[in-house]
Amino acid sequence: MKLNFNLNDSIFLHIALSVAIVMLGALAVKLSNRFFVKRQLADKDNRNSYRAWTVASRNLIGAVVFMLLLGMWVSELKSVAISLAAFAAALMISGKELVMCFLGAFMRMLARPFQLGDLVEIGPYAGEVIDMDVLTTTLVEVAPTRQFTGFTVQVPNSLLLTVAVRNHSQSGKYTLDSVRIPLPEKADPDEVEARLLAIAQHACAPFLEAAGKSLRRYGDTRFLDLSQFEPRVMFEPAEANRLDVIVRYPAPVGARLPVAQQIIRRFHAAQAPADRTPDAGKDRPA
């Protein structure tokens, strides 16, 4: 039995061209990634810029490949329009999450709730955005202690339609943050407030002026009053006889943890001598 393959057959020709287009697209993505990685190693100061160009070039190549494939197969798809409509309806029912991922990516493109390099919280996940595509958003995970865990999290874009997104980098290089410190019973609020204000102002002194300019500029663009950016101290009842103190302070987005740790350490170091003074008098012999 002799098999004859007609290379002019449109179906086989479309399949061959489709495979070639996909392979060329994959090769272009690989070469683009290699190019920007080399540039990033040579210029580490612009790492975020090269990361953005890498993701943008990959998404652009993917869009071009998709449009080429769609244009090539559109004539074939017209002949099966009815079957295609039934298939699309079945896909909507069985692949709802996949469709929601595409819608989430579309919403992200229009609303732009975050960009590459931003520190965000998407539902229960928190981290720095390092990659975005039509299906997922990739984060370098940040623990509740505000330190990188070393893990990456791929968040499906469908979550962008159902959960709130908190962006800690929206105001620029600086943001407002807070730290909670439990107080012992019968602590003097006035004394604690004065001590913590002095400590927080000392910790924020190197960047306080720059943070104020950045926050005021962001407030003007969003019609917000962020003129009160200096450190503030507030008290909140924790138990019947005990208070928690909350210190709000400005800080660089990437240095919120060091500033918080400096405030906590200095406060407890200042508290230690006061706590030891009454006990020292009791231990002295009469």
Side-chain angles (χ1 to χ4, degrees):
M1 178 176 167
K2 187 176 180 181
L3 298 176
N4 294 322
F5 293 97
N6 185 3
L7 295 179
N8 292 325
D9 188 357
S10 61
I11 298 295
F12 288 106
L13 182 61
H14 285 174
I15 292 175
L17 288 177
S18 298
V19 172
I21 290 173
V22 171
M23 293 181 65
L24 288 175
L27 179 61
V29 169
K30 187 173 182 179
L31 293 176
S32 174
N33 290 343
R34 184 179 300 177
F35 171 76
F36 286 115
V37 167
K38 288 183 179 179
R39 293 293 300 270
Q40 176 182 333
L41 294 176
D43 186 10
K44 294 184 178 180
D45 294 335
N46 294 321
R47 178 176 301 175
N48 289 334
S49 176
Y50 290 124
R51 181 191 298 168
W53 277 107
T54 302
V55 175
S57 62
R58 186 194 62 207
N59 292 340
L60 178 62
I61 294 171
V64 171
V65 169
F66 176 77
M67 295 302 295
L68 288 175
L69 294 176
L70 183 63
M72 183 183 305
W73 287 95
V74 66
S75 59
E76 302 294 336
L77 294 176
K78 288 180 180 178
S79 61
V80 291
I82 299 177
S83 300
L84 183 63
F87 174 75
L91 181 63
M92 286 290 292
I93 296 173
S94 61
K96 182 180 71 172
E97 290 295 329
L98 183 63
V99 175
M100 288 183 65
C101 286
F102 282 100
L103 293 177
F106 184 69
M107 187 277 290
R108 183 190 62 201
M109 181 182 67
L110 293 180
R112 298 184 66 83
F114 53 81
Q115 301 178 11
L116 285 171
D118 285 356
L119 191 62
V120 301
E121 295 180 30
I122 305 176
Y125 308 105
E128 181 179 338
V129 181
I130 60 171
D131 196 4
M132 297 184 294
D133 55 38
V134 295
L135 294 179
T136 61
T137 298
T138 305
L139 309 177
V140 177
E141 189 180 37
V142 174
T145 56
R146 300 171 187 169
Q147 294 205 32
F148 291 111
T149 62
F151 299 100
T152 58
V153 181
Q154 285 190 314
V155 182
N157 290 333
S158 58
L159 282 182
L160 300 177
L161 301 174
T162 57
V163 301
V165 177
R166 178 179 294 181
N167 191 340
H168 296 278
S169 306
Q170 193 72 34
S171 58
K173 295 182 178 179
Y174 298 91
T175 186
L176 291 173
D177 202 3
S178 61
V179 60
R180 178 186 293 267
I181 303 175
L183 297 178
E185 294 184 6
K186 299 181 180 180
D188 185 1
D190 294 333
E191 181 182 350
V192 170
E193 180 179 8
R195 184 175 298 170
L196 274 174
L197 278 177
I199 293 172
Q201 288 172 355
H202 181 271
C204 301
F207 52 80
L208 187 61
E209 184 177 355
K213 291 181 180 179
S214 177
L215 292 171
R216 280 195 295 263
R217 189 183 309 115
Y218 173 73
D220 292 340
T221 60
R222 298 286 182 172
F223 305 100
L224 298 173
D225 183 13
L226 294 180
S227 58
Q228 302 296 325
F229 59 88
E230 295 90 352
R232 297 184 63 183
V233 175
M234 295 158 284
F235 295 92
E236 186 174 287
E239 296 177 0
N241 298 323
R242 193 176 66 79
L243 296 174
D244 281 355
V245 60
I246 301 172
V247 184
R248 195 203 69 178
Y249 58 92
V253 173
R256 296 179 301 157
L257 177 62
V259 176
Q261 288 294 310
Q262 185 177 352
I263 293 173
I264 294 173
R265 288 174 179 271
R266 286 180 177 271
F267 175 72
H268 282 283
Q271 284 285 96
D275 293 340
R276 288 195 299 264
T277 301
D279 297 336
K282 293 179 182 180
D283 295 338
R284 291 177 184 173

